[in-house]
Amino acid sequence: MSSKPEQKETHQANGTVLPVVPADCLTGPDRGQLVEPSNFLGPDGDRVEVVVLESHANAKGVREEDALLENGSQSNESDDTSTDRGPEPASPLKETSFSIGLQVLFPFLLAGFGTVAAGMVLDIVQHWDVFKCVTEVFILVPALLGLKGNLEMTLASRLSTAVSIQGVGGSRIPALGRDGKVSVCVVQATVVGFLASIAAVVFGWIPDGHFSIDHAVLLCASSVATAFIASLVLGMIMIGVIIGSRKMGINPDNVATPIAASLGDLITLALLSGISWGLYKELESRAYVNPLVCAFFIALLPIWVIIAKRNAATREVLYSGWEPVIIAMAISSVGGLILDRTVSDPNFAGMAVFTPVINGVGGNLVAVQASRISTYLHMSGMPGESSEAAPRKCPSPCSTFFSSDVNSRSARVLFLLVVPGHLVFLYTISSMQGGHTTLTLIFIVFYMTAALLQVLILLYIADWMVHWMWGRDLDPDNFSIPYLTALGDLIGTGLLALSFHVLWLIGDRDSDVGD
């Protein structure tokens, strides 16, 4: 094969610009015929050589860093012999800390205000009769909010990578709706919502030893209906968000997952509260409504399964993608049990408004990092391939946060967003008179310590988990985010509950924790 200088000369021989075709873009007989340099006649009858270049493609067919770049303009003037095409937009691999922070900041704040709104909703509805009489609904809160992270944020990560690689046009919007990505999320949401209700019943029954069949059916109907509707609505919204960000020249990995989270928390919690309240009212006079609602949404499953099976990629997720979402649901349900036992105590009622905030912020930041690392690894090849980008050994905290590579740089940026972000959110909660807690200095110190420790642990686990999954031939876009967001729920709820207990024990009367 010709050297690079020779390729440039043949590329513009006789003043004519000829296409240089990558070999892996050719299929069938064309590939076999053109793997060697071929001779074509130029405008003057002279033979010119057209060189077919090999290109390194990843599992998705093309180099992702090339697909993320805008198409540069090419001159067609015959007297222009320069090979320079001017500066190209920087790829994600060359992003600076400032550019990363600038792109992440707005969706991070938007997601944070979404979690603040969800916290305000939870602070209000915790006093409703359904939450007082059927306290197991609190166990569903982290499980269903986490389900948003397990499915919609995973969908956002997959679509971000797919759209960045394939590009996007006007016809791409209906294509994304037809290829089954949303339908498989609806199927998984409905099934996992049903399992979450069973977990809530079990976790509520074990400590008290009391079981009510009416309450169990209520939990099942509320969980299944909420998961189904929220997943369908959020899935369609995410398609529009990702396509819009790509058209605006923004890296979808930086904005898609936080926006999914900002809308997901509020929509899911509002649906859960409204549906459970309505079904609880029907329980008094028309108890048959609850099993009918549950049966209706479960009966819709075969339709969505058929839609999901029409696409090969989603068919694979439909068969093998259950383990992470089910395990993540179980982890989040443990966090829900902690929330149920803490909020049910009148001394810690103020914790309700802060739980969606600390869990949402931690999950949003680690989802951005996991999505970025996954995209970075897809640039080097296919899952399971050994390369410098995917080290086999467990990373050290120093390499995760203090090295010079782009993933470490983004980890530092995301970690530095924790304190200013939470200060804005705490001020917003205080201004709206949410919760039952006065923001004293000692409360802010304990809260910030819990938030920083949560994000620090999550970012380190993300660095290890994404690379570990890549080495085991698993696509991190499909497997890592469910585990990470579920761990964020568990760690955040646990640390927040511990902070409230410590504040109560040391007698921080100024913060009115027990009001």
Side-chain angles (χ1 to χ4, degrees), residues 26-366:
L26 302 176
T27 57
D30 293 335
R31 180 179 177 89
Q33 296 173 2
L34 295 180
V35 293
E36 297 296 336
S38 303
N39 292 327
F40 290 88
L41 291 178
D44 298 331
D46 298 331
R47 289 188 176 273
V48 295
E49 186 181 23
V50 175
V51 182
V52 179
L53 301 178
E54 296 287 345
S55 68
H56 176 69
N58 60 12
K60 300 179 181 179
V62 295
R63 287 183 62 88
E64 186 167 347
E65 64 269 33
D66 293 335
L68 288 173
L69 298 178
E70 298 290 341
N71 293 328
S73 60
Q74 296 183 0
S75 174
N76 58 359
E77 296 180 5
S78 58
D79 58 347
D80 183 8
T81 59
S82 173
T83 59
D84 295 333
R85 297 183 182 179
E88 294 180 329
S91 72
L93 293 180
K94 298 178 181 178
E95 288 177 306
T96 64
S97 298
F98 178 77
S99 64
I100 294 173
L102 190 62
Q103 290 191 19
V104 172
L105 181 60
F106 175 74
F108 168 71
L109 292 176
L110 179 63
F113 287 123
T115 60
V116 169
M120 298 294 293
V121 171
L122 184 59
D123 184 52
I124 295 172
V125 302
Q126 67 173 325
H127 303 294
W128 289 6
D129 290 341
V130 63
F131 281 85
K132 290 181 177 179
C133 299
V134 190
T135 60
E136 292 84 1
V137 178
F138 282 112
I139 301 178
L140 289 177
V141 171
L144 292 181
L145 296 189
L147 185 64
K148 167 267 305 174
N150 301 343
L151 298 179
E152 270 63 46
M153 294 172 74
T154 300
L155 172 67
S157 180
R158 289 201 301 260
L159 290 179
S160 296
T161 302
V163 172
S164 295
I165 290 176
Q166 299 174 9
V168 60
S171 61
R172 186 63 187 153
I173 297 178
L176 285 172
R178 290 195 306 265
D179 65 4
K181 289 183 173 65
V182 175
S183 60
V184 74
C185 287
V186 172
V187 172
Q188 289 182 323
T190 306
V191 174
V192 176
F194 177 75
L195 297 177
S197 66
I198 296 177
V201 171
V202 172
F203 286 152
W205 168 71
I206 291 177
D208 299 332
H210 175 70
F211 176 79
S212 171
I213 185 64
D214 290 337
H215 290 179
V217 176
L218 169 66
L219 289 171
C220 179
S222 301
S223 180
V224 170
T226 299
F228 182 97
I229 298 173
S231 181
L232 181 60
V233 172
L234 292 171
M236 300 307 297
I237 291 175
M238 285 318 304
I239 292 177
V241 168
I242 292 173
I243 291 178
S245 64
R246 183 68 181 92
K247 285 186 173 181
M248 294 174 63
I250 299 174
N251 185 355
D253 287 315
N254 291 337
V255 301
T257 51
I259 292 178
S262 66
L263 299 174
D265 283 339
L266 182 59
I267 291 175
T268 303
L269 188 54
L271 284 172
L272 176 63
S273 303
I275 292 173
S276 62
W277 176 81
L279 294 178
Y280 181 75
K281 291 297 183 182
E282 295 294 332
L283 195 62
E284 300 175 356
S285 57
R286 293 184 289 270
Y288 60 87
V289 172
N290 287 272
L292 283 180
V293 170
C294 186
F296 171 75
F297 284 102
I298 293 179
L300 293 177
L301 275 180
I303 300 176
W304 293 98
V305 169
I306 293 174
I307 297 175
K309 282 186 174 182
R310 295 172 60 184
N311 181 272
T314 54
R315 189 186 310 122
E316 179 65 24
V317 176
L318 190 63
Y319 292 148
S320 62
W322 294 97
E323 178 184 345
V325 293
I326 292 176
I327 295 178
M329 179 273 300
I331 296 173
S332 295
S333 296
V334 176
L337 180 60
I338 297 174
L339 177 65
D340 179 30
R341 291 296 142 185
T342 305
V343 176
S344 298
D345 188 338
N347 291 322
F348 307 110
M351 177 178 164
V353 71
F354 300 104
T355 302
V357 178
I358 192 171
N359 290 350
V361 169
N364 299 343
L365 293 177
V366 75

Side-chain angles (χ1 to χ4, degrees), residues 365-389:
L365 293 177
V366 75
V368 171
Q369 180 70 352
S371 181
R372 291 179 59 87
I373 297 175
S374 178
T375 299
Y376 175 78
L377 291 176
H378 274 293
M379 296 177 184
S380 65
M382 296 184 296
E385 292 182 352
S386 178
S387 66
E388 294 181 359

